[in-house]
Amino acid sequence: MFKLEERSSAIEIKDKIQVELHRGANYPHRLNFYDKPPLYDVSIEEFETSALDRLRILAEIESSAARNRTWEETKTVTATQCEKYLPLKSSNAVGADRESQRRIDHLGHFVLRLAFCRSEELRRRFIKAETTLFKVRYETDDTTEREKFLSSRDFNWVAVDKSEKERHRQELSTYQGRADTFEADRYYKVRWTRVPDLVDKRKVFVKGGWAYVPSREQSSIVYQEFEAHLQRDLLVTARYMPRLDEDTRLGGILDNLSTGFLAGVSSEWSAAPADANAETIRADMVDDLAAKHFPMCMRNSHQRLRKDHHMKHFGRLQYGLFLKVLGLSIEEAIIFWRKSFDRINDDTFNKMYKYNIRHSYGLEGKRANYPAKNCQQILTSGGDPGCPYRHFSQENLQSALLSTYGPLGLSSSDLYEVMNTVKGGHFHVACTRVFEITHSSSGVKKGEGVGGGESVTHPNQYAARSMELLKAQEEKAMMVIT
């Protein structure tokens, strides 16, 4: 039995151990195979936000594949997105809260496992995106830290000793094509089934079922191990999902996350201030803005409004919130909708529509500041209006794209690439490519997206960036004139 002093001392030692764990022993490496689940309490908010930040990066990785980006382009875009949404500094970084960063990274990964384990298709897409993220981090990691990480795990490879290496000198030199570095090169043996990519590219010597992998190709073993490890863990997670489905707090969050690959994850545009461009946007400017700056979904809504002089409730809500966030004030919004509904009298308009317009601006009812719908919400609503890239037939979409964006530079020769992404289900990627084509005169290059390589994830993001580019172009022209 402990004496009081002994018990007190034991508690102090335990507390010191916990402090050391908190300081970094929980996450000793920047690279992670995510072997252990997060065994601590988290709030619902932290549960969701950590997953959303990670999903932004994974969705952009999938978009990069759909846009046929080179590996270097994909790596650059992914690194930029990581720095913005999920920074993960090296152990040598000064002034960075590494423990917090790695904790968020760890938690977000496991939350997304819950969201993407529920079908074979979701698992496949998640594994592919996560493996790409791991590759980017592996290649950009500090060499010393990477070696420490590799030493911390058993990758079940066999180091080739000098005698065996010398015995196969001719074959190894032939396959590597680098006889001058043969003496310095290290080799590892693994079963050839673990490195099918290297075997396929004839980068390794194979004998007796063993592949002789040089150290510079060692990463292939690591990547394959990460992928196989994650695949096994997702299947285990899927078996336990029925128990989790009983928790009603998480079902809606996980359902929302699992649609993240469909349209990416919207940035902060849903919370943009309503008066961001209020000084420059009036009701009589909307026609011109629609023709020059609106994405296909909002352009379609505007054209239908002009044709029918009317719009159903959900269409008015979606389009009205878009205009609100773009910068149309409540006074100008009432003028815009009144002129648009020009086949009814003032009394009918005031009774049936004015209240709803004011309500969407937070001036009636519970006075909430409603955000504009993002791409994911528009794509998954399944109603009318929706996303033209998803809901239009291929013939109607091609015709609509040419008539809408032909004056802005889209040609029939561009349609093949756009329609290919549509057929692949990458609707926001198709929208992004249209943005790049129609803004090439403003200096936007293929792969640049709406800035920094980002894909379109929100109609207001598309329109605001388009307006910003035109403004910059006009300012540049004025400077030349003066």
Side-chain angles (χ1 to χ4, degrees), residues 378-424:
I378 294 171
L379 277 164
T380 56
S381 64
D384 185 28
C387 173
Y389 295 98
R390 184 178 192 181
H391 299 299
F392 281 20
S393 68
Q394 289 192 25
E395 294 76 13
N396 287 344
L397 178 58
Q398 292 183 70
S399 176
L401 285 171
L402 285 175
S403 62
T404 302
Y405 295 109
L408 298 178
L410 184 75
S411 66
S412 55
S413 61
D414 297 315
L415 290 180
Y416 177 79
E417 183 182 0
V418 174
M419 295 307 297
N420 262 352
T421 56
V422 171
K423 291 173 186 175

Side-chain angles (χ1 to χ4, degrees), residues 38 75-76 91 113 154 206-207 236 243 271 325 339 356 363 368 416 433 439 449 465:
K75 191 163 69 171
T76 299
S91 299
R113 276 194 191 182
D154 181 11
V206 180
K207 182 178 176 60
V236 172
R243 298 183 187 180
V325 173
K339 288 183 176 180
N356 286 336
L363 300 175
Y416 177 79
R433 186 64 191 120
H439 292 81
R465 179 59 177 157

Side-chain angles (χ1 to χ4, degrees), residues 102-309:
R102 294 175 186 185
R103 180 181 184 275
I104 293 171
D105 174 74
H106 184 243
L107 175 61
H109 171 86
F110 275 93
V111 175
L112 291 184
R113 276 194 191 182
L114 298 176
F116 288 96
C117 73
R118 296 181 286 180
S119 75
E120 185 177 348
E121 172 65 11
L122 287 175
R123 288 194 293 270
R124 181 189 65 78
R125 296 171 76 175
F126 180 65
I127 290 170
K128 187 175 180 181
E130 276 284 345
T131 303
T132 302
L133 176 59
F134 181 84
K135 287 180 181 179
V136 171
R137 287 176 170 173
Y138 187 91
E139 288 194 10
T140 57
D141 203 19
D142 177 79
T143 305
T144 304
E145 286 191 52
R146 186 167 58 212
E147 288 298 324
K148 287 180 180 178
F149 168 74
L150 294 177
S151 300
S152 71
R153 301 188 62 86
D154 181 11
F155 287 96
N156 197 28
W157 53 44
V158 180
V160 177
D161 59 30
K162 289 184 179 179
S163 61
E164 187 176 6
K165 178 181 170 183
E166 188 61 36
R167 195 162 59 246
H168 300 298
R169 170 186 281 271
Q170 184 177 349
E171 293 89 346
L172 294 175
S173 299
T174 301
Y175 274 87
Q176 300 310 314
R178 295 178 60 175
D180 57 320
T181 62
F182 179 79
E183 300 299 337
D185 285 345
R186 289 179 296 165
Y187 289 86
Y188 301 88
K189 286 196 305 184
V190 294
R191 288 297 175 183
W192 72 269
T193 52
R194 292 184 58 188
V195 285
D197 56 329
L198 297 181
V199 174
D200 182 57
K201 295 174 183 176
R202 298 180 179 275
K203 288 189 173 183
V204 290
F205 167 58
V206 180
K207 182 178 176 60
W210 293 95
Y212 289 72
V213 182
S215 56
R216 64 178 172 275
E217 302 291 352
Q218 191 179 23
S219 58
S220 289
I221 306 174
V222 180
Y223 301 156
Q224 192 275 343
E225 184 69 18
F226 178 87
E227 188 172 325
H229 184 278
L230 182 54
Q231 188 170 23
R232 290 193 299 269
D233 286 354
L234 281 174
L235 290 173
V236 172
T237 306
R239 289 202 293 269
Y240 284 95
M241 272 305 294
R243 298 183 187 180
L244 193 64
D245 287 340
E246 298 173 6
D247 193 331
T248 56
R249 298 170 301 169
L250 303 182
I253 294 174
L254 295 178
D255 287 340
N256 182 57
L257 290 171
S258 65
T259 63
F261 279 144
L262 185 65
V265 181
S266 175
S267 59
E268 65 275 8
W269 287 100
S270 58
D275 61 348
N277 298 297
E279 293 183 5
T280 57
I281 297 181
R282 302 184 307 274
D284 58 6
M285 296 170 61
V286 176
D287 286 338
D288 185 56
L289 291 174
K292 294 178 180 177
H293 304 295
F294 287 9
M296 191 65 182
C297 53
M298 297 305 153
R299 183 70 182 273
N300 181 53
S301 292
H302 186 79
Q303 289 173 336
R304 290 174 63 175
L305 176 61
R306 288 291 177 253
K307 177 184 175 183
D308 301 335
H309 301 267

Side-chain angles (χ1 to χ4, degrees), residues 19-47:
V19 167
E20 289 305 312
L21 284 172
H22 183 71
R23 282 178 181 170
N26 284 330
Y27 311 102
H29 309 289
R30 180 171 176 262
L31 297 172
N32 197 340
F33 263 46
Y34 307 99
D35 302 287
K36 299 177 182 178
L39 301 177
Y40 46 80
D41 294 335
V42 296
S43 66
I44 292 293
E45 182 182 3
E46 186 181 11
F47 182 92

Side-chain angles (χ1 to χ4, degrees), residues 328-390:
L328 195 69
S329 68
I330 178 60
E331 295 79 14
E332 291 295 322
I334 291 173
I335 294 171
F336 170 78
W337 288 105
R338 179 65 193 97
K339 288 183 176 180
S340 299
F341 290 2
D342 55 4
R343 294 179 179 175
I344 60 175
N345 58 41
D346 288 341
D347 188 52
T348 302
F349 176 81
N350 290 334
K351 286 181 179 179
M352 296 184 64
Y353 303 110
K354 192 172 182 179
Y355 175 87
N356 286 336
I357 297 169
R358 289 176 54 80
H359 188 276
S360 66
Y361 275 75
L363 300 175
E364 301 288 355
K366 63 179 183 180
R367 300 181 183 276
N369 183 23
Y370 296 98
K373 304 294 182 183
N374 59 43
C375 291
Q376 185 174 320
Q377 292 168 321
I378 294 171
L379 277 164
T380 56
S381 64
D384 185 28
C387 173
Y389 295 98
R390 184 178 192 181

